[in-house]
Amino acid sequence: MTRFPTFLSCALICAALPALAQDNQLYQDPADPDASFVRIVAPDETLAVVAGKTFDAVEGGMTPYVMVMAGPVSVAVGDLAGEGEIEPASFYTFVRGVDGGLHMVQDAITNSPAQADLVFYNLSDLPLVDLFVPSVNAMAMEEIAQNTSRQVTLKAPLTLDFEIRDDSATLASVTALKMRRRAGATVIFSGSAGNYSAYSAENLYAN
């Protein structure tokens, strides 16, 4: 099996990208370079509030990123509420873990004009999982810990299938995940007691 850096040199170019939700957009440079972005990832939830902005039809449990300034921020989803201290020019996600709590994690988003950010969250009851690319027999990310995220920057545009694995066992998969430059996508793995699922979507930003 090869590792993902070998895959990065492959020329895998994707076809046309899907339409975006009307109320959201791809990343644009904020007027203030110190602005940060916050979102919520909570599988199965449809209502969330991020820094005072309400989302009442959250798809896949993932809100768009909301622009905020450095300092304290409050979020809510379902019957949970969370707070965190935001640093300038950073990206954060509040994730609902299998323990039922909200955990704030920092996302290493680059929004490169030549690449795409792939963000993965392990919100399952498994302590470690891997993200595998079957088309090139390579690991994209290895040993992603429970209630944490991991990122990798990919050459873009491209379209890939992914498998979430525990050792050699495939637990869930996402197909035809499309990523464009300066946008990227997110994969959310969740579940417990042998019942697992994965959701993927393009990273979006609230207007």
Side-chain angles (χ1 to χ4, degrees), residues 172-195:
S173 62
V174 296
T175 59
L177 180 56
K178 297 180 180 180
M179 289 167 285
R180 72 171 88 191
R181 298 182 181 97
R182 212 180 191 202
T186 291
V187 175
I188 303 165
F189 176 65
S190 61
S192 61
N195 184 21

Side-chain angles (χ1 to χ4, degrees), residues 38 40 48-55 66-68 72-76 82 206:
V38 178
I40 292 175
V49 181
V50 181
K53 187 173 183 65
T54 299
F55 300 90
V66 175
M67 187 173 69
V68 301
V73 66
S74 298
V75 304

Side-chain angles (χ1 to χ4, degrees), residues 69-74 84-86:
M69 298 310 297
V73 66
S74 298
E85 189 71 21
I86 303 303

Side-chain angles (χ1 to χ4, degrees), residues 35-57:
S36 295
F37 296 89
V38 178
R39 68 179 175 181
I40 292 175
V41 167
D44 303 321
E45 296 290 350
T46 58
L47 177 65
V49 181
V50 181
K53 187 173 183 65
T54 299
F55 300 90
D56 56 10

